[in-house]
């Protein structure tokens, strides 16, 4: 069975071919045009998807040595994401599906991030705790099986990725903020400055990152005044505060559920400081991270999950549309 996956929820235009559960190609075109605006401009993202989609899909087919007529189904991200960006991908997928006379399977982007872990580790078994950390979401899930998801906690304000992006903007490090802060932090001392770790009540599995963002804003006001030139220390200390919070909440989730397995999903999972600290704090547990290329937005997770949904017939007919705030449950 051959599935073409299409992902256009934000600023990555991506296509992937999945054949019998194996990823043959994973083509991602990051829209660098947004860098000069310091963040994603939704209207520009939609237009860029329109320009890039044909080429990205074509490349994924060519590199996989698959003829377009060999595809059995197309899977496409339905949400969550930017409305226009999602609609561009969905319209493209439906047009192609109608033309080829094959089904189009809508896929939840968040579920895609979670299932990317099965690409990293095909022998992964349910149940497990999942820390889902992306640009728009920070959630802890208890995953018992396909479509058996219980939300343990989530952010009450900003997502962890947002905290990285906003922090990087305040530090003048550019967009996307996560990789920029991580790079700057390499030569910094994470203990030089103290930024708050908002842990809420003793057993809470919820997150809150808006106070952290405010604290770096005030800190930088003073910092610029004193003219101390060690941005690396600030970046490292700020990154450490986000990482410590994520790790503590994950530790609590594992404690409270008794799970011995934990997976990390979403763009922030690419952060090496987070990976190292999780392994340090939870040495008894089985912690799984996908490859870096499978953490940030990609279509491999969409083609793979699309195949699972298609095989188990868990999908609706063609009359679906974009759901910008689509939930997991
Ligand atoms: O999953 P993703 O690619 O897109 C969404 O679904 O939102 O996540 C994007 C987020 C951005 O906020 C970006 O700054 C963050 O993931 N990110 C990172 C790293 N790479 C991407 N955050 C920390 N460290 C990284 N290396
Ligand atoms: Zn994502």
């Amino acid at each position: 069975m051959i599935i073409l996956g299409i992902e256009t929820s934000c600023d990555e235009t991506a296509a992937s071919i999945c054949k019998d559960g194996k990823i043959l190609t994973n083509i991602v075109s990051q829209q660098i045009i947004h860098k000069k605006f310091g963040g994603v401009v939704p209207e520009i993202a939609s237009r860029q998807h329109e320009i890039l989609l044909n080429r990205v899909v074509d490349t994924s087919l060519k590199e996989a040595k698959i003829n377009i007529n060999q595809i059995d189904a197309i899977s496409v991200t339905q949400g969550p994401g930017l409305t226009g960006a999602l609609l561009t991908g969905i319209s493209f997928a439906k047009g192609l599906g109608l033309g080829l006379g094959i089904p189009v399977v809508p896929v939840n982007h968040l579920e895609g991030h979670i299932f990317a872990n099965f690409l990293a580790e095909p022998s992964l078994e349910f149940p497990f705790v999942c820390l889902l950390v992306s640009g728009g979401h920070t959630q802890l899930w208890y995953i018992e099986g396909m479509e058996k998801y219980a939300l343990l906690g989530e952010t009450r304000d900003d997502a962890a990725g947002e905290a990285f992006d906003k922090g990087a903007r305040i530090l003048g490090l550019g967009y996307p903020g996560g990789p920029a802060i991580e790079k700057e932090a390499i030569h910094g001392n994470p203990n030089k400055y103290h930024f708050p770790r908002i842990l809420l009540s003793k057993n809470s599995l919820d997150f809150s990152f808006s106070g952290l963002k405010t604290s770096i804003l005030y800190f930088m006001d003073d910092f610029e005044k004193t003219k101390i030139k060690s941005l690396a220390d600030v970046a490292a200390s700020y990154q450490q505060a986000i990482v410590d919070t994520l790790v503590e909440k994950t530790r609590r989730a594992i404690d409270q559920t008794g799970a011995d397995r934990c997976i990390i999903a979403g763009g922030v999972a690419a952060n090496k400081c987070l990976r190292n600290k999780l392994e340090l704090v939870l040495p008894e547990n089985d912690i799984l991270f996908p490859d870096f290329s499978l953490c940030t937005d990609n279509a491999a997770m969409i083609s793979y999950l699309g195949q699972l949904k298609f095989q188990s017939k868990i999908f609706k007919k063609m009359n679906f549309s974009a759901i910008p705030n689509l939930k997991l449950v």
Side-chain angles (χ1 to χ4, degrees):
M1 173 174 299
I2 300 175
I3 309 279
L4 163 67
I6 294 174
E7 154 65 36
T8 62
S9 65
C10 194
D11 60 336
E12 272 92 11
T13 312
S16 159
I17 301 292
C18 177
K19 185 178 180 195
D20 301 328
K22 299 251 174 319
I23 298 300
L24 300 187
T25 49
N26 182 22
I27 309 293
V28 181
S29 175
Q30 207 197 6
Q31 302 175 0
I32 45 173
I33 189 168
H34 301 281
K35 276 189 196 291
K36 64 178 173 204
F37 302 105
V40 180
V41 182
E43 172 63 20
I44 295 177
S46 314
R47 285 167 190 254
Q48 286 289 304
H49 286 312
E50 215 174 320
I51 293 166
L52 294 167
L53 261 169
N54 250 323
R55 199 171 66 224
V56 166
V57 168
D58 204 42
T59 309
S60 77
L61 286 163
K62 278 204 181 107
E63 288 192 6
K65 298 190 172 49
I66 296 287
N67 184 290
I68 198 158
N69 294 308
Q70 291 174 267
I71 301 169
D72 296 295
I74 300 168
S75 59
V76 63
T77 303
Q78 182 179 25
L82 303 168
T83 313
L86 290 166
L87 281 172
T88 314
I90 291 173
S91 308
F92 184 95
K94 283 186 178 182
L96 194 56
L98 279 171
L100 295 170
I102 56 174
V104 179
V105 185
V107 166
N108 184 315
H109 180 87
L110 302 177
E111 205 175 0
H113 272 306
I114 294 170
F115 275 77
N117 278 273
F118 285 94
L119 289 172
E121 184 52 70
S123 61
L124 174 64
E125 283 176 18
F126 300 109
F128 47 78
V129 160
C130 172
L131 172 68
L132 177 59
V133 267
S134 69
H137 293 79
T138 297
Q139 299 174 323
L140 275 161
W141 290 93
Y142 186 67
I143 311 274
E144 278 191 277
M146 175 73 120
E147 309 224 324
K148 289 188 191 152
Y149 314 138
L151 184 64
L152 302 171
E154 66 182 330
T155 185
R156 296 182 183 176
D157 39 59
D158 292 349
E162 221 174 330
F164 272 108
D165 294 336
K166 289 177 177 170
R169 196 174 310 156
I170 293 165
L171 296 181
L173 293 174
Y175 183 87
I181 288 193
E182 181 168 30
K183 193 167 162 220
E184 183 68 31
I186 288 173
H187 307 293
N189 172 4
N191 302 314
K192 176 88 181 180
Y193 303 108
H194 182 79
F195 291 106
R197 279 82 169 145
I198 313 286
L199 297 176
L200 306 169
S201 63
K202 196 165 150 262
N203 295 320
S204 172
L205 298 180
D206 281 346
F207 302 84
S208 170
F209 288 108
S210 63
L212 180 62
K213 176 189 65 195
T214 311
S215 80
I216 196 168
L217 192 64
Y218 287 142
F219 175 86
M220 282 311 284
D221 273 353
D222 296 343
F223 184 76
E224 269 155 19
K225 272 181 217 140
T226 55
K227 297 267 186 287
I228 303 167
K229 296 264 182 285
S230 58
L231 207 56
D233 289 342
V234 184
S237 304
Y238 184 75
Q239 171 175 263
Q240 197 63 52
I242 300 175
V243 165
D244 285 353
T245 309
L246 293 173
V247 171
E248 170 57 16
K249 296 290 174 162
T250 307
R251 191 196 62 73
R252 286 183 190 180
I254 288 173
D255 250 26
Q256 289 177 27
T257 57
D260 49 17
R261 209 169 289 120
C262 176
I263 67 158
I264 320 296
V268 180
N271 186 276
K272 288 188 212 70
C273 177
L274 174 64
R275 290 172 174 243
N276 294 341
K277 178 109 196 213
L278 276 167
E279 279 177 342
L280 196 74
V281 171
L282 299 163
E284 307 294 311
N285 299 95
D286 195 358
I287 312 278
L288 185 63
F289 314 94
D291 261 14
F292 292 109
S293 63
L294 293 172
C295 291
T296 46
D297 286 350
N298 65 86
M301 64 189 197
I302 304 301
S303 63
Y304 177 72
L305 183 58
Q307 170 155 344
L308 297 183
K309 299 267 171 187
F310 183 61
Q311 280 170 332
S312 55
K313 305 269 182 282
I314 313 178
F315 70 97
K316 303 176 192 85
K317 296 288 169 212
M318 279 285 220
N319 62 346
F320 68 90
S321 190
I323 307 182
N325 62 350
L326 184 64
K327 306 266 185 280
L328 202 52
V329 287

